[in-house]
Amino acid sequence: MVRATKGARLGPAELLQAAAVARRFYLDGRSKIEIADEFGLSRFKVARILDDARASGLVRIEITTPAEIDIERSEALRAAFDLHYAVVISTPAEPESSLRAHLGRVAADLLSELVADDDVLGVGWGRTINAISSALTDLARCTVVQLSGALTGMTVDESSVELVRRIGAVSGGLVYPIYAPLIVPDAATAAGLRQQPQVAEAIRHHDEITKAIVAIGSWDPPNSQVRDALSDPERARLEHDGVLAEVCGTFIDHEGQELATPLAQRVISITGEQLRSISEVVAVAGGPEKAAAIRAVICGRYATSLVTDQSVADILLAQDAGKIPAGA
């Protein structure tokens, strides 16, 4: 936005000329050459007048962004955790479902901006990713690949298969869903399902993924659909092993390290190693109760970018953000 105010070092004639030149340049979009011709000045004189107008306060430039995006916290978070992109939204205290909707809308816009033609887009699952798919209206033509099998007990609209189909419909590219559960009873069943043609086809594309969008589950405090889907003994075993966070079926401890658990053999999903090899993984998660889990995921480099809210950003920035765990 350009606003005219009385300049401190310009005389009346200079002020009027500078105001006219500035209006032509900043408000009308005229080039310096066009302005020079109109006023009978050299292009260099026009450039000097514009510089003087800014230096004197005649012209003040304000950079404004959508009110829901906190620019300062976004940049601070990106720098502190060496992220490719960090987008922090400013929202008042609100129900979790409303926060997910806000995060989903902003993440959908970021996804539209980042994904290019011929990318292979990996899509995680969860209520936040579902909100993204609902808000997504534009996406480059790309291949869409499901990152993990489906949780039981979800409605048709919430299922990960339907989720990747909706995103694929916006893109218009090929879609590779995984017609299998995320967690099966034993390792032999998981191995057999991975050999099924449609499941195998999706898994084959995991090594080709160039960009991905994922959600984060928290185990301490509990806020994870995966955790809720496990039996009490399974949850107890993982908690004993030190799980703090989960992303696409990969279980992560407080230091951002992947936990080797027996359950991993029963999970049909992209592996933690494959996830870390993707050049751009955008994690979307919010709420202060997820701050520790989010930190573990980004410090472990399972995500290269983050969309979150102000409460999470403040917690992360207040911690020793610069120390990435050894081996991450």
Side-chain angles (χ1 to χ4, degrees):
M1 181 174 68
V2 180
R3 296 185 295 188
T5 60
K6 185 173 181 179
R9 297 194 301 269
L10 297 178
E14 293 174 319
L15 178 65
L16 291 171
Q17 183 183 58
V21 168
R23 284 181 179 278
R24 299 293 194 283
F25 185 75
Y26 290 109
L27 298 182
D28 298 340
R30 304 279 294 279
S31 71
K32 293 175 183 177
I33 293 177
E34 290 173 327
I35 297 169
D37 290 342
E38 178 182 350
F39 288 89
L41 304 170
S42 70
R43 179 168 57 87
F44 302 102
K45 175 65 172 177
V46 170
R48 191 172 69 196
I49 289 172
L50 291 171
D51 289 341
D52 290 345
R54 291 182 60 183
S56 68
L58 175 68
V59 170
R60 290 187 294 175
I61 298 176
E62 296 178 359
I63 299 175
T64 61
T65 58
E68 65 182 349
I69 296 180
D70 188 318
I71 296 298
E72 291 186 4
R73 282 183 174 87
S74 296
E75 177 54 26
L77 194 63
R78 185 204 61 77
F81 287 90
D82 192 28
L83 295 166
H84 295 171
Y85 303 95
V87 183
V88 177
I89 65 170
S90 301
T91 57
E94 58 184 352
E96 185 179 358
S97 58
S98 297
L99 175 60
R100 282 198 300 268
H102 288 147
L103 289 170
R105 184 173 63 254
V106 173
D109 289 342
L110 179 63
L111 197 63
S112 297
E113 185 178 0
L114 295 182
V115 173
D117 289 338
D118 299 326
D119 265 330
V120 179
L121 175 64
V123 178
W125 56 269
R127 290 165 294 194
T128 305
I129 306 299
N130 194 53
I132 293 170
S133 72
S134 298
L136 193 66
T137 59
D138 182 60
L139 191 66
R141 188 176 182 85
C142 64
T143 298
V144 181
V145 182
Q146 189 171 330
L147 292 179
S148 57
L151 281 177
T152 58
M154 299 292 104
T155 67
V156 172
D157 287 342
E158 292 175 331
S159 77
S160 48
V161 170
E162 183 60 27
L163 194 154
V164 296
R165 282 177 172 169
R166 286 201 300 270
I167 294 177
V170 176
S171 165
L174 297 174
V175 177
Y176 293 95
I178 295 179
Y179 294 101
L182 173 65
I183 302 170
V184 297
D186 52 63
T189 301
L193 283 171
R194 293 188 191 105
Q195 298 304 314
Q196 295 295 317
Q198 287 184 312
V199 175
E201 184 71 1
I203 291 175
R204 183 180 68 80
H205 283 83
H206 284 172
D207 286 328
E208 302 171 358
I209 292 171
T210 54
K211 295 184 175 73
I213 187 87
V214 300
I216 296 173
S218 169
W219 282 59
D220 184 18
N223 191 339
S224 165
Q225 288 179 291
V226 170
R227 183 186 182 281
D228 295 342
L230 297 176
S231 67
D232 289 341
E234 288 170 330
R235 284 198 294 267
R237 172 63 186 273
L238 284 165
E239 288 164 359
H240 178 269
D241 290 342
V243 64
L244 173 65
E246 163 269 316
V247 55
C248 291
T250 294
F251 301 98
I252 303 165
D253 67 14
H254 287 72
E255 299 301 319
Q257 300 294 326
E258 181 176 356
L259 290 169
T261 69
L263 188 62
Q265 302 302 315
R266 297 163 44 201
V267 171
I268 298 177
S269 179
I270 190 170
T271 67
E273 182 179 357
Q274 287 175 314
L275 194 61
R276 292 179 62 175
S277 71
I278 299 172
S279 60
E280 184 67 80
V281 180
V282 180
V284 188
E289 70 281 355
K290 281 196 173 184
I294 292 169
R295 187 181 192 280
V297 169
I298 59 178
C299 285
R301 313 312 289 175
Y302 296 94
T304 59
S305 297
L306 176 66
V307 179
T308 191
D309 68 288
Q310 181 178 317
S311 67
V312 170
D314 287 344
I315 293 171
L316 296 182
L317 291 171
Q319 297 172 347
D320 189 6
K323 291 186 178 179
I324 303 298

